[in-house]
Structure formats: C-alpha cells, structure tokens
Amino acid sequence: MTINASQFLKACDPSRALSISNPQDRSYYIDFAPVRGSNIIQELKRTIALLADEGTCQLFTGHIGCGKSTELLRLKTELEQQGFYVIYFVSTEDLDMSDVDVTDILIAIAHQVSEKLEADQIRLKPKYFANLFAEIGDILQTPIEISQVDFSVGISKITARTKDSPRLRNQLRQYMEPRTNGILQSLNEELLGQANLQLKQRGKQGLVVIIDNLDRVDARQLPSGRTQPEYLFVDRGEQLSKLNCHVVYTIPLALVFSNEVEILKQWFGGGVSPKILPMVPVQRRDGTHAEDGIALLRQMVLARAFPGLDAAQRLARIPEMFDCVETLDRLCLISGGHVRNLLGLLRNCVQRGDPPFSRDAVEHVIRGQRDALVRTIDDQEWALILQVVEQQSARGEVEYQTLLRSMFMFEYQDQQGGWFGINPMLTETKKYQTWAEGRGVRA
C-alpha cells in the first residue's frame, strides 16, 4: 500500500468533522473517550434515552477545534441506532454569528426541523406561522404564501433575505420580538409536538435536535452591557430551554467561566453543569508524558494514512510516514492534544513534501507555527500565562478570553478534575524557558 499524498492531505482537513455513519469517516475515527477523563457523548445519550418520553435540554462546549462536531455526529448516529429521529445542523448555515437573537435561533430550528421532516414525507403547516409569514413577507417585500409551498421553503425565503442584511434583520426582529412567546408556543405545539406524534406512530423513540456551532457566537458587548452569549443563554435561556423535544446546544466555553454558570445550570439540564469536551492528554499535571493519550493520537495520524488497517498493522507502517516513531510522537506532543492543531501540522508537512517526513521537516513546520503564535502574545498575556502555569487553573471570563480562546492554554481532565496546561508550543520559547528555570518548573 503506497501513501497517496493527495488523499492524505484531504483526510487531514482540520475543518472537516467526521461522521461515523460514513464508512470512510469511520475508518478515520479514533475514540478518545478512554483518555479524556469522561465519556461526554455517553452521558448526553444516556440522559436522552432515560427520559425518552420527556423533553431534555443539554449544553455541550469545549475549545474550538477539539473535536466537538465529530463527537456530536457520533451522538447522532448512536441515537439513531437506538430509534430516535435526530436532526443535526450547523447553526452558521442559517445565522450570522456576529448578530444573533433568540427569535433567530427559534426560526433556524423551525427551518431545519421542517426541512428534514418534509424530506421524509412528514409535512406540517403551523397556522400561526402561516399568518406570521404573510405579515413578514410584507415587511421584507418578499411575498410568502405558505399554502403553495412547503413550510421549510417559506422559512428559507426569510433566512436568505435577512442573513446577509443587518437592516432587514433588524426590521424583522422589531416585529418578531414581541411575538417570541407566540412563536415558541406554535413551534412547540404545531411543529415539534405534531412531529413527535407522527414520528412515534412510525416507531421512533422521539425527536432530538442537535445545534452545532453556537459556540462560535461572537462575544461582542451589547448596548445593555451584556455579551451576546450572556444575553442568549442566560438572559433568554429560559425560552431556549423550553422546546418540546430533546435539544443539545453547543455554547461558548467562556460561559462556563462566567459568574452566570449557576443560572445556566438551572435553565438548561436540570441543574447539571454544561458538558465540557477536554483536550486529549499528552502530559499529566506533573509534566510527565501521558502515554495512553499519545498512543491514540498516533493512531489518529496513522488511520488517515492507512484507513484499511487495524491498530497494530498501522504501527508497523510508521517508517512509510516518518523517519522514526519519535518524530511522529514529537508532532503529537507539540499539538497539546488539540486535534485540529495536530491535523494542521500534518497538512503543513504534506505541503512541504511527500512522506516519510524527516525530523528536520517536522521541526521546520513546528517553528513556523510557534513563531506565528508567539507574535500574537503581549507582556500582559505572558504574565497571565505564567500565572496559570503555576496555579493550573484559570479563573474568570477575562482569563478565559485571553488564554483559552487564543489557544495559549488548554484544558484537560483527570481523576482529580479539570486542570489547565500551557500550549506546548510556548514551552519552547526563550521567555518561558527563562521563567521556568528561575522557578524550578519542569519545561
């Protein structure tokens, strides 16, 4: 088997989520749950299964790029295998992440649910929405006659007109905001409620809606002084939590570090904290290597080169990919267990030349990534980074925004709970090395 550089480059696309229902994607998928510290997807799935006849609402978060979308697609597949009807959608398809309101999210859910139902020959035409669309059509100067088209087509016309036009979006919100409770009631009774009835007649366990990418909602400050995520999930969280089906929302990780997390727990999940997907551990709290995490990252890399082989067979083919296993491990360690970062490093290696990759080629790629990261850090941020290294914890939203969102620090889980480690790229800088030597910290 010869490595196809073109296929390997495509397989290492950091922006592509894997769906285990797809045979090719399944051959790339590595289950990191045994080393992450907890099986988050199992917990989400179990909650839905145990409360199949009720509506549940759960929150899911983690670093951007740590593998949330892939895990949510796994959740979708496993719930479908248990007999649930699952609608997964990426919120950025309908929403502008820099400017989102509660009614936008409700309309996006109505759009995605109705479109999937109609594709499966379940056509619902909520009367409330029919009247609403007629009036909205006048506002947007886009006549919408719901009786002549599928319900989802009517919503598509609205979202298409407003997504790229802040002016029209503002007009629409001024009209819809006073009607939020009516929209929610119609969504629950005339769409989700009726859908649940028809799905159960077809032998389904229930309706599940998984809304991905809401963790990318812009953290801009609103005129009220609240950030956009706080407004959506805290101030308006009660409305988002009352949908007549099972819902999983992705939320910005910053909310877990805010003073509002207790309110979040009450609105969503019945007092249960949001589920956080941590990094794959490449080191422990004491700085020693986490061999089990590194071994799985090794397999993630090799599976993309040799998807048809089992774990042992892949390990035997390492010489075709790298000059030695230590070079492969170097990439795994420097990634910090951040899946997207590791894939990005691999793509850079392929862009430089064909495998097997030499240690010199890998070090060149690492230097480029490290220099680009260091250029973004100012003195105040360095002070925060070094403080968190000593404490192994980040406190408050300001520290989160500065350190975690910028990928300067990563969060891990172990038997003692969550802890924070510096991005390994930064441990190789002169600034960090000098600081570490002065304090006797393992670099």
Side-chain angles (χ1 to χ4, degrees), residues 352 358-371:
R352 282 182 53 80
S358 69
R359 184 61 174 259
D360 285 345
V362 166
E363 292 299 336
H364 180 90
V365 167
I366 291 172
R367 281 195 301 272
Q369 295 274 26
R370 183 174 62 238
D371 291 346

Side-chain angles (χ1 to χ4, degrees), residues 208-261:
V208 182
V209 180
I210 301 172
I211 307 163
D212 201 358
N213 276 12
L214 278 178
D215 58 316
R216 302 186 184 188
V217 167
D218 193 82
R220 68 184 178 88
Q221 193 171 60
L222 303 176
S224 65
R226 304 284 273 172
T227 65
Q228 190 172 224
E230 288 172 337
Y231 166 73
L232 290 172
F233 294 101
V234 178
D235 300 346
R236 305 295 295 276
E238 183 177 16
Q239 290 171 318
L240 290 178
S241 69
K242 292 194 176 302
L243 295 182
N244 187 17
C245 62
H246 301 282
V247 187
V248 177
Y249 291 108
T250 49
I251 63 168
L253 185 56
L255 288 174
V256 178
F257 296 89
S258 77
N259 295 329
E260 314 282 4
V261 68

Side-chain angles (χ1 to χ4, degrees), residues 35 60 67 73 89 195 237-238 263 314 328 339 412 417:
V35 300
F60 183 55
L73 287 168
F89 73 95
E238 183 177 16
I263 300 176
R314 292 175 196 144
L328 169 55
V339 174
Y412 302 92

Side-chain angles (χ1 to χ4, degrees), residues 140-199:
L140 302 181
Q141 298 180 339
T142 305
I144 302 170
E145 179 51 62
I146 197 71
S147 63
Q148 297 177 5
V149 297
D150 282 338
F151 178 57
S152 65
V153 175
I155 303 181
S156 293
K157 289 187 177 182
I158 295 171
T159 55
R161 287 278 286 156
T162 59
K163 183 179 179 183
D164 299 320
S165 173
R167 181 182 62 82
L168 287 177
R169 199 158 55 238
N170 186 53
Q171 282 183 283
L172 183 61
R173 283 186 189 146
Q174 289 179 7
Y175 174 79
M176 294 181 69
E177 178 60 27
R179 296 165 174 79
T180 303
N181 287 335
I183 291 170
L184 183 58
Q185 182 178 351
S186 175
L187 180 60
N188 278 333
E189 295 177 1
E190 298 182 309
L191 183 59
L192 300 177
Q194 291 300 313
N196 263 313
L197 287 175
Q198 294 202 36
L199 289 170

Side-chain angles (χ1 to χ4, degrees), residues 48-66:
I48 292 169
L50 290 176
L51 299 172
D53 293 329
E54 302 177 23
T56 63
C57 187
Q58 302 182 82
L59 301 179
F60 183 55
T61 189
H63 283 279
I64 290 176
C66 69

